[in-house]
Amino acid sequence: MIVTTPIKVRYQETDQMGVVYHANYLIWFEIGRTAFIEELGFKYHEMEAEGVVSPVIDAKIQFKQPIRYGEEAFVETWLVSYNGIRTTYGYRVLTGDGEVAVTGETEHVIVQKESFRPLSLKKKFPNWHNAYEKAKGNER
């Protein structure tokens, strides 16, 4: 399953060269990841209401071509891998013409908000676990 999310390229996201500043792509990844989770029927704030957060433990990003203010952009998001503990999401940022501008991955775990003690998604949120099991390896 791939979820495609339109991104409005805002002027404040660009740098002195007139292209989207590299760190903003990580924000776009988060927008895509949130849309992916919502497509599965879940919301991050429901997880946080139970005192659980999902930090990024690794991020990879590759830049292929720039995106500029005023251009269309879309972020495609899918599940690369999931093992009950760690979740890796994949991303492609596309231009309005469908060309790949940026690719990347982020890896996440879930932890207790107060202690940062790791948790098993499989045990803490079995419905999320089941949805991820169905979604993994099902990107195209």
Side-chain angles (χ1 to χ4, degrees):
M1 173 175 90
I2 294 178
V3 174
T4 302
T5 308
I7 300 292
K8 180 155 180 73
V9 182
R10 298 171 295 190
Y11 180 76
Q12 63 268 30
E13 293 175 318
T14 63
D15 62 17
Q16 212 170 27
M17 295 177 284
V19 300
V20 173
Y21 180 68
H22 68 276
N24 286 313
Y25 290 106
L26 291 170
I27 294 168
W28 293 4
F29 288 2
E30 187 167 339
I31 291 168
R33 185 172 60 256
T34 300
F36 179 87
I37 289 167
E38 288 176 354
E39 185 71 21
L40 292 177
F42 306 103
K43 300 204 182 290
Y44 261 137
H45 74 269
E46 293 169 350
M47 179 185 281
E48 290 175 349
E50 294 197 35
V52 176
V53 293
S54 181
V56 175
I57 61 170
D58 191 27
K60 297 177 180 121
I61 189 166
Q62 299 84 38
F63 303 96
K64 313 289 184 189
Q65 65 175 307
I67 294 180
R68 292 175 172 77
Y69 173 67
E71 295 179 347
E72 289 185 303
F74 300 88
V75 60
E76 293 181 334
T77 309
W78 65 94
L79 199 60
V80 172
S81 65
Y82 169 72
N83 67 7
I85 304 287
R86 294 174 187 256
T87 306
T88 302
Y89 301 91
Y91 311 94
R92 273 187 297 266
V93 178
L94 307 174
T95 66
D97 296 332
E99 293 185 40
V100 176
V102 174
T103 60
E105 293 183 355
T106 58
E107 185 176 0
H108 301 254
V109 294
I110 63 168
V111 297
Q112 289 287 348
K113 186 176 182 177
E114 298 303 318
S115 67
F116 260 65
R117 186 176 72 82
L119 299 169
S120 163
L121 186 68
K122 182 178 180 177
K123 291 179 185 174
K124 182 71 177 173
F125 298 103
N127 291 339
W128 284 46
H129 166 76
N130 292 334
Y132 278 22
E133 283 292 324
K134 288 178 187 171
K136 82 177 171 183
N138 194 10
E139 66 274 357
R140 284 223 162 142

